[in-house]
Amino acid sequence: MANEIAECAHVVRSIRARRGEIAAVARRLDFGKAKLALVCGRGSSGHAGVHLRYLIETRLGLPVSSVAPSVFSAFKSDMQLDGAPFFVISQSGRSPDLVVATQKARACGAYTVAIVNDANSPVAAAAEFVLPLEAGLETSVAATKSVVGSMALGASLVAAQAQDAALDHALDRLPDRLASALLLDWRALLTPLGNAQCAFVTARGFGLGVACEIALKFSETLRLPAFAYSAAELLHGPRAALGARMPVVALRLYDETADSVDATVEALRATGQAVYVCGGIDSDLAWIGDDHPAVDAIAMLIPSYRLIEQAAWQAGFDPDNPPHLKKVTETL
C-alpha cells in the first residue's frame, strides 16, 4: 500500500501526458444533446464517480445519476439512454455486474466510457470508448493509485469537454502537489483513531467522494466502522450519534462550500466534539495549501492514505491484506 501511494504522482503525470487521447474521447461524446449522464461503479470506483458527478454537473450543467448495476444485472431492466454518456469506473474491470451494466447501457443507446486500469478487461471490451489508467499492477487490496488516477482522468475528460483552462492547468500542477502531499504528517490522528469506536468523515461538493473513500479505507484497512456525510447532512440526523471516541475528519475546500463546512465544524466543536480539519489557513492537519478545489480534493487522499497505512501497522494489522477481502470482488 505504501509503495502504491508513492506512485500516485507518476500515475497522474502519465495520464496528463495522454491528454490528447482523453480530449479526443471528450469530443466524441455529444454532451450538448444529452439530457443526463450516468456513472457506474462500486466501492472506491464509485467514490471516483461521485467526484466525476460534481465536475459534470458544475462544469457542464448536465445532471448526473448513479446507476445501480443490479438494475441491469439482477432485474434485467432496460432504460431509455439514447445519447446519454455512461461512465463505468473499475480498477480490475472484471466484476460481472459492471460488465452486464455496460453491455446493457450500450444496447440501450448510451455512449459507454470505461475508465479502467486493465484495458484488456471484460468491462473495457463491453464499452464503446476505453480510457485506461495505465497505473500498473496494484496488489494491495486497498486501492490507492487507481482511485487517484480515476479521479484525475475523469477531471481531465471534463476539463477537455468544458474547455476549462483553470481546471486543466490545475491538473498539470497535480503531480507535483501529490508528491508534496506525500510528505504531510497526519500522525495527530493516530491516537484518536486507535481509541475510536467509530469515525466520521465530512465534506461537501468535490470533497464528498473523497470523504466516502477515506471512510471506506478506515473500515476495510483499520477495521474501524466509519461513515461519510455531507457537511450539511451531518448536522441533521447523524449528529445525534456523535460523541466521545468518535473523531470527525472534515475536508475543507476553498470554494463555495467552505463557509458551510466551517459552520459545521464550529457547531460540532461547540458541543465538545473532536474535529480535525484539512484545508484552509487554519487547517488542523498538515496541508500543502489551497489550489483548485476539484483538484485539491484528490490531493487530500494522499496524506489520508498514508495515515491509514501507518495506523494499520500500529494496530497490528496488515494494510495490504484485510481479512475476508480479495482484490477483485465479483458481484452480480
Side-chain angles (χ1 to χ4, degrees):
M1 185 176 178
N3 290 338
E4 289 164 3
I5 297 167
E7 293 172 12
C8 288
H10 172 74
V11 170
V12 174
R13 192 169 282 113
S14 174
I15 288 170
R16 294 302 292 164
R18 292 182 282 118
R19 73 185 71 191
E21 168 194 335
I22 297 168
V25 172
R27 288 193 294 270
R28 296 281 302 278
L29 300 176
D30 197 352
F31 280 92
K33 295 182 179 179
K35 294 183 179 179
L36 82 162
L38 303 108
V39 294
C40 185
R42 292 199 183 279
S44 293
S45 295
H47 304 154
V50 175
H51 186 260
L52 179 59
R53 167 197 163 190
Y54 276 98
L55 281 165
I56 292 173
E57 290 186 338
T58 60
R59 295 303 185 268
L60 300 175
L62 189 65
V64 178
S65 175
S66 177
V67 176
S70 62
V71 170
F72 296 115
S73 62
F75 292 101
K76 304 187 187 313
S77 299
D78 291 328
M79 286 195 280
Q80 298 177 15
L81 302 180
D82 290 343
F86 175 96
F87 299 95
V88 58
I89 305 173
S90 176
Q91 301 151 39
S92 70
R94 300 188 181 281
S95 188
D97 54 354
L98 297 183
V99 177
V100 172
T102 306
Q103 291 170 335
K104 290 280 283 183
R106 187 171 180 179
C108 290
Y111 292 107
T112 50
V113 182
I115 298 175
V116 291
N117 197 27
D118 185 354
N120 297 312
S121 64
V123 165
E128 182 177 1
F129 304 101
V130 180
L131 291 173
L133 300 177
E134 298 184 2
L137 182 64
E138 192 171 49
T139 57
S140 173
V141 167
T144 53
K145 62 179 179 177
S146 62
V147 182
V148 170
S150 295
M151 290 187 180
L153 198 155
S156 295
L157 185 76
V158 173
Q161 178 66 32
Q163 298 183 17
D164 188 331
L167 177 58
D168 196 59
H169 293 156
L171 286 163
D172 284 340
R173 294 190 293 272
L174 180 58
D176 288 342
R177 287 177 62 78
L178 294 178
S180 296
L182 196 61
L183 304 177
L184 299 178
D185 185 352
W186 280 20
R187 283 179 294 181
L189 277 171
L190 284 175
T191 298
L193 290 176
N195 295 330
Q197 293 176 314
C198 67
F200 290 79
V201 190
T202 190
R204 291 195 76 175
F206 301 118
L208 186 57
V210 173
C212 293
E213 169 64 4
I214 294 171
L216 173 63
K217 290 297 191 286
F218 282 163
S219 295
E220 71 176 348
T221 307
L222 300 183
R223 310 177 201 182
L224 175 68
F227 307 90
Y229 289 100
S230 159
E233 293 292 339
L234 188 59
L235 294 182
H236 290 267
R239 184 177 184 180
L242 295 174
R245 296 178 60 199
M246 297 180 185
V248 177
V249 177
L251 309 180
R252 182 194 190 274
L253 300 171
Y254 187 59
D255 62 8
E256 294 84 350
T257 67
D259 289 345
S260 174
V261 173
D262 288 343
T264 297
V265 170
E266 183 178 352
L268 294 178
R269 285 178 170 168
T271 63
Q273 183 66 43
V275 184
Y276 301 85
V277 180
C278 175
I281 59 174
D282 296 321
S283 182
D284 300 299
L285 300 170
W287 180 230
I288 53 178
D290 296 330
D291 192 345
H292 192 291
V295 179
D296 279 354
I298 304 173
M300 287 179 179
L301 283 171
I302 301 301
S304 67
Y305 283 159
R306 286 196 67 238
L307 163 74
I308 291 163
E309 194 263 350
Q310 293 167 347
W313 287 119
Q314 180 169 287
F317 302 146
D318 180 353
D320 298 325
N321 298 287
H324 316 301
L325 297 177
K326 56 185 180 179
K327 187 60 183 172
V328 180
T329 303
E330 296 186 359
T331 50
L332 185 60

